[in-house]
């Protein structure tokens, strides 16, 4: 189980920063719920693909998925262009925040598939189930930690002081990193 926790932490530490920024800029309960749902859907997708590949491929070769880096860039540009009306665009009843977090989690975590698949292929079925459950518990912990971090007064002040254009730039940076394999 320690290997699972270390693997999750090593491959998702950057997600914690992105989640914290999203939680800090979307303090409304409905928005936070949408962020959590999007994160779980994205992590579920990454883990599901990794499980599928580990069970079906004899020899895993790194797929060249760099071109998918365009998705966070487009999301960043979209958020940047909508910064004035962001509260209207991402409302409690709007699923766009879920979709954004889902896509960001996938795009930011595509390299995780390269780490998870070889690891999963060494596991027995029981070990694989334990690992998947550990990853989902860690995802819940990451979401909770992101919320708790935004409640720390000095962090909250810093996040509230972060210009609305900063998060879109972070997303565009993540996208460029994926595109150019930084």
């Amino acid at each position: 189980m320690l290997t699972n926790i270390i693997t999750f932490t090593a491959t998702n530490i950057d997600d914690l920063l992105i989640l914290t920024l999203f939680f800090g800029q979307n303090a409304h309960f409905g928005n936070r719920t949408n962020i959590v749902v999007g994160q779980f859907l994205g992590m579920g997708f990454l883990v599901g693909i990794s499980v599928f590949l580990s069970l079906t491929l004899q020899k895993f070769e790194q797929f060249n998925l760099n071109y998918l880096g365009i998705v966070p860039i487009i999301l960043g540009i979209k958020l940047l262009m909508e910064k004035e009306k962001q509260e209207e665009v991402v409302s409690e009843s709007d699923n766009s925040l879920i979709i954004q977090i889902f896509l960001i989690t996938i795009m930011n975590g595509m390299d995780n598939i390269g780490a998870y698949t070889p690891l999963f292929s060494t596991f027995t079925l029981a070990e694989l189930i334990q690992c998947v459950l550990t990853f989902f518990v860690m995802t819940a912990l990451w979401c909770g930690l992101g919320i708790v971090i935004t409640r720390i007064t000095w962090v909250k002040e810093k996040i509230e002081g972060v210009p609305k254009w900063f998060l879109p730039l972070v997303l565009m940076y993540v996208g460029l990193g994926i595109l150019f394999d930084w």
Side-chain angles (χ1 to χ4, degrees), residues 1 4 6-7 13 17 29 37 54 67 77 83 105 125 135 156 163 173 177 182:
M1 182 175 332
N4 303 339
I6 291 170
T7 301
I13 196 73
L17 173 63
F29 178 76
V37 169
S54 71
Y67 64 91
I77 292 169
K83 66 181 181 179
T105 302
L125 183 58
F135 278 25
K156 183 177 179 178
Y173 177 78
W182 293 344

Side-chain angles (χ1 to χ4, degrees), residues 33-165:
T33 301
N34 289 344
I35 293 168
V36 171
V37 169
Q39 182 68 14
F40 269 93
L41 289 173
M43 184 54 68
F45 180 84
L46 293 171
V47 169
I49 293 292
S50 298
V51 167
F52 173 77
L53 291 173
S54 71
L55 295 174
T56 58
L57 296 179
Q58 293 293 344
K59 182 180 177 189
F60 176 71
E61 294 181 22
Q62 183 76 27
F63 295 107
N64 186 1
L65 299 172
N66 294 17
Y67 64 91
L68 293 175
I70 197 74
V71 174
I73 293 171
I74 290 169
L75 287 173
I77 292 169
K78 180 179 180 252
L79 285 174
L80 193 60
M81 294 173 69
E82 296 174 343
K83 66 181 181 179
E84 289 86 26
K85 56 182 182 171
Q86 192 168 6
E87 282 123 24
E88 296 170 21
V89 173
V90 181
S91 68
E92 186 176 345
S93 62
D94 191 355
N95 290 334
S96 67
L97 186 57
I98 292 173
I99 294 167
Q100 288 175 14
I101 299 297
F102 170 74
L103 291 174
I104 290 164
T105 302
I106 290 171
M107 295 308 111
N108 190 39
M110 279 300 190
D111 58 332
N112 297 5
I113 294 171
Y116 299 163
T117 300
L119 177 67
F120 292 175
S121 67
T122 66
F123 289 158
T124 65
L125 183 58
E127 291 169 330
L128 181 60
I129 291 169
Q130 179 189 37
C131 183
V132 169
L133 292 175
T134 301
F135 278 25
F136 284 109
V137 168
M138 292 295 294
T139 299
L141 178 66
W142 244 228
C143 290
L145 192 56
I147 291 170
V148 167
I149 290 171
T150 63
R151 291 185 178 156
I152 299 170
T153 306
W154 66 270
V155 172
K156 183 177 179 178
E157 291 170 358
K158 295 292 183 196
I159 290 174
E160 288 173 353
V162 171
K164 294 288 183 189
W165 52 262

